[in-house]
Amino acid sequence: MINLSDLRGFALRFLRPLDPFLLAVALAIVAVATLMLESASPERLEAHLFNLAIALAVMWFMAVQPPQRLHSFALPLYVVGLVLLICVAMFGDISKGARRWLNLGFMRIQPSELMKIAMPLMLAWYFQKREGMLKVRDFLVAAVLLALPATLILKQPDLGTTLLVLSSGLFVIFFAGLSWKLIVPVGIIGVAGIVAIVSFESQICAPGVEWPGLHEYQKHRVCTLLDPASDPLGKGFHTIQSTIAVGSGGMLGKGWREGTQTHLDFLPERHTDFILAVISEEFGLAGVIIILILYCLLIGRGLMIALNAATLFGRLLAGAISMIFFTYAFVNMGMVAGMLPVVGVPLPMVSYGGTALVTLCLGIGILMSVQQHRRRK
Amino acid sequence: MEIKTPEQEIQRFRARVVVAGLFVLCGFGLILARYAYLQVVRYDYYSTRAEDNRISLLPVAPNRGLIVDRNGVVLARNYSAYTLEITPSKVQNLEDTIDQLADIIEIQPRDRRRFRKLLDESKNFESLPIRSRLSDEEVARFVARRYRFPGVDIKARLFRQYPLGEVAAHAVGYIGRINQREMVEINDDEELAANYRGTEHIGKTGLEQSYEKELHGTSGFEQVEVDASGRAIRALARTAPVPGNDLQLTLDIGLQRVAEQAFGERRGSLVAIEPSTGGVLAFVSTPRFDPNLFVDGISTENWDALNNSPDHPMINRAMNGAYPPGSTFKPFMALAALETGKRAATTAFHDPGFFVFGNNTFRDDKVGGHGMVDMVKSIVVSCDTYYYTLANEMGIDLISDFMGKLGFGSRTGIDISGESIGVLPSQAWKKRRFKTPAQQKWYAGETISIGIGQGYNAYTPLQLAHATATLANGGVMFKPHIVKYVVDARTGQRRVIEPTPVADLGFKPENLEVIRKGLIGVNLYGTGARAFAGAKYTSGGKTGTAQVFSLRGAKYIEHQVHARLRDHALYIAYAPAEKPTIALAVLVENGGFGATAAAPIARQVMDYYLAGIKPAGAVQDDAAAETEGTGD
């Protein structure tokens, strides 16, 4: 006979590791995701709920792991990830012009996805190891550790994942205390570079001009972003149609399931990368603001957790994971609004897709774990 | 880098987190600004773009107006049928697709050739018919296998049909698919372009062309919601098309048939006009063609057959063939003499059978001459010498002035476009026509043969009939027209094409009376007497035989001359002579004598029109013609 207090006790024990604030925000976001999927692609709802169940289980599982365990997994995970990436480069499967998949015989895996978590873990692990005796050399080592997988992923080619892996690593390095003397000039050069690309668009996008280190299709993506009208039926179609969907939503949108761009098939990838266009079209600017608020809450909470972490490893990991959410959200939202090239980055926890959802919930689970083992004052 | 205490480390980390937080806020601020710009500032623009994406205006082609004769017999109508159509731009391999289609629906080699031809003339995104008039069974067979044929579809379309086939083909004309030149013309006019968006056919010749504006109607529009692939999801609104107006003609198809059949296998033309209105009663050009062949693109072999025939069936002889009028010119010459006062009706002289001018001798067709000849007799016996001398006395200027007023050498203004003007010889004409001064000079000797309707004279049968009608109507000239009413297809309201008097030439009644006497005499005891023996009405007429080939004085023996070089037979007439209700001109190419080849045709036509007599052996089976189909 189970009495009520037993049940409550069990529930408490089950829920204790889950940070209530983070859980509430995460559930609010997946609620939005479910609502929008119901509009964009109702036939995928069942699969989505299944993915969600797995993702939440993974989140809970990570939340109950002490950070020390993650710490011990960091190096092996990174090494395995790197080896797999090399294997992909040597004998991976080619699909849609890119070599991203590794066929293990019984299943196909995409090792670059693993790197999204392994990368910040590895760097946080490294800086933890060097705690108290950090030298410039350590940043160089970190840069190499970051550059290796990033280069391999870029060669696949997969610009979106490269961007995410790179940024997750860079955030660790940033939080670890990279000198402003380095950050500021690089930042300025980056901004200057973007301004230059935009202003010299017609010259650099001229046919026949080759971009060092980038593939023709990547050049094409950037160029169509700069001038979508140059290819209205090809790559530009995504950007044009998604911008129309966003703009035509207005302040309050056309109403749930009333989006014409969405429901008449003008909007490509409406349940995955362009789900925000559906939100924008059907709920207008109001919907976009709600999404932005939810992400601010999520990231804000994550950064607070980082501040309170007990160890350097925890701080760096929590800080980087929080910022990964920002990178995802920023790139995706910029892409949907025609500010950034179409690089295939999902809207975190809203876009349909099991892998990304699981990866992100895993990240939230880590945040919860760090919070659970925070520094006691 | 100096070593820091854990507190300092945490302090620095806190600063970095604050910077990161600010970075996030800046980034999201940028995003928010962009979305606010798109969704608030540019809302109207993108909202319109979304509507443009979603809503498509589909033209709804109007039904083309019908064409009926004066008694309501249908000459052109529409019928609905299924066609199998291919949109070439949506098909990967055209030949393979057609081969596969041929397995389930009969596709003849000529269907393929016609499709090829249409393909050459069309733009790629148009859907083009490969087979028309599918049977219900063929439709069912295709529909069951439609999934195998992307870019191929069955469409219900209205087709133009000319139920009487060749009858009055040159007057009615035909429609055909809009070609690229016409497309350019249509697109030049914005309003026209909008009205023709759903239209595939346009009038090419005859009334179908000249009344295109009336027959076409006003295109309607259907507002539909479409998805990204252009498929219509649902209709939002519809503006119904306004069907084209019907045409009711002045043509009497019964009369037309009689006239056409009277020609038999012979080439030629007949134009009959109601003198008091200018309404055209019959408009014949033989040989004829079947306008149904053209509606959906004529096949190459049919086109070659029509185009390469030595008989040139496509030429509208009634208004585009120019022939010397021969002796049918004489009554007009006589009237000219009277009106200009150059010769009195009573002036008579002895005809020796020839007229000598300078070194040339102009012969009469009767050796030894006609004896004493006055004006009436000159018409009745068709005395050439009388007119040689008359022309010589009048001079070319007087002749061309007078004949010009009667409409010779200019367009009659009939409501079919493309009329030829023929040749009214004059000094000015010769100057325009020739290059060297020697050629440009008018020689007095050239005037002589003008007097008997030879020489440079060349007029269309329509002009001849038109002048005859003016003569019959006492000098009041009406513009010839084939359409009597334009009928509003919805209300049935008729708009009358008013008879337009072009001019009253002010001929003196006593002069007209002299000519009338002569013309009546022709049919009573002159050259037309045999053809008009026993007629139940009084008629006036004049025969003519026009030289195609100059024999340079040698005697003309018909059976020795090549068939194509034989004389043209002509005849003009009006009846009843007291108050004419019909005036006509007949031409039989290489028919020989006007009296024997052309006048009997006129007799049959007038008998039918004035006395209701149907010629023996004539087919008058409208019902049979109706079911003949399109001849496709």
Side-chain angles (χ1 to χ4, degrees), chain A residues 94-141:
Chain A
I94 295 178
S95 132
K96 291 182 190 168
R99 197 188 287 272
R100 293 177 187 171
W101 297 87
L102 195 61
N103 199 334
L104 298 181
F106 60 98
M107 66 181 293
R108 271 155 48 101
I109 58 164
Q110 204 177 336
S112 55
E113 201 60 36
L114 179 67
M115 263 301 159
K116 287 179 186 168
I117 292 299
M119 193 69 243
L121 269 177
M122 175 64 197
L123 289 180
W125 173 87
Y126 180 77
F127 285 117
Q128 168 80 67
K129 219 167 116 65
R130 306 290 301 163
E131 190 179 14
M133 42 182 176
L134 219 48
K135 296 202 174 66
V136 175
R137 199 197 58 169
D138 293 311
F139 287 100
L140 287 177
V141 172

Side-chain angles (χ1 to χ4, degrees), chain B residues 241-318:
Chain B
V242 179
N245 294 326
D246 298 340
L247 302 181
Q248 183 152 19
L249 309 185
T250 56
L251 285 189
D252 178 333
I253 278 311
L255 186 71
Q256 177 84 17
R257 278 172 180 282
V258 168
E260 288 180 1
Q261 281 156 12
F263 275 89
E265 296 293 303
R266 292 174 291 180
R267 287 165 285 118
S269 169
L270 178 146
V271 178
I273 295 175
E274 186 175 56
S276 59
T277 60
V280 176
L281 301 169
F283 190 86
V284 177
S285 173
T286 60
R288 304 165 297 167
F289 63 90
D290 183 355
N292 291 302
L293 296 176
F294 290 86
V295 173
D296 242 306
I298 189 166
S299 65
T300 319
E301 52 271 65
N302 280 334
W303 174 247
D304 288 345
L306 285 174
N307 223 23
N308 299 337
S309 161
D311 292 342
H312 301 297
M314 295 309 296
I315 289 179
N316 187 347
R317 290 174 161 79

Side-chain angles (χ1 to χ4, degrees), chain B residues 362-409:
Chain B
F362 293 86
R363 292 181 190 285
D364 205 315
D365 63 342
K366 187 174 179 186
V367 180
H370 292 280
M372 284 304 286
V373 178
D374 67 357
M375 188 172 278
V376 171
K377 187 178 175 187
S378 79
I379 296 173
V380 174
V381 301
S382 198
C383 172
D384 288 345
T385 316
Y386 185 92
Y387 290 96
Y388 290 144
T389 57
L390 177 59
N392 189 36
E393 282 162 34
M394 285 182 73
I396 188 63
D397 292 347
L398 266 185
I399 296 173
S400 67
D401 277 0
F402 185 84
M403 295 304 169
K405 276 186 232 157
L406 268 170
F408 287 110

Side-chain angles (χ1 to χ4, degrees), chain B residues 64 189 191-192 195-196 202-203 207-218 243-245 247 486 495:
Chain B
R64 197 172 175 86
D189 182 337
E191 208 172 304
L192 208 60
N195 202 21
Y196 274 77
I202 194 166
L207 297 170
E208 289 275 31
Q209 182 201 27
S210 56
Y211 284 87
E212 173 65 27
K213 233 182 189 164
E214 300 284 358
L215 290 165
H216 180 267
T218 310
N245 294 326
L247 302 181
V486 175
R495 180 150 45 81

Side-chain angles (χ1 to χ4, degrees), chain A residues 219-243:
Chain A
K219 170 195 168 189
H220 197 73
R221 270 186 188 172
V222 176
C223 289
T224 31
L225 171 85
L226 296 172
D227 182 15
S230 69
D231 188 10
L233 293 176
K235 295 275 181 220
F237 185 80
H238 287 41
T239 307
I240 290 172
Q241 294 304 336
S242 125
T243 314

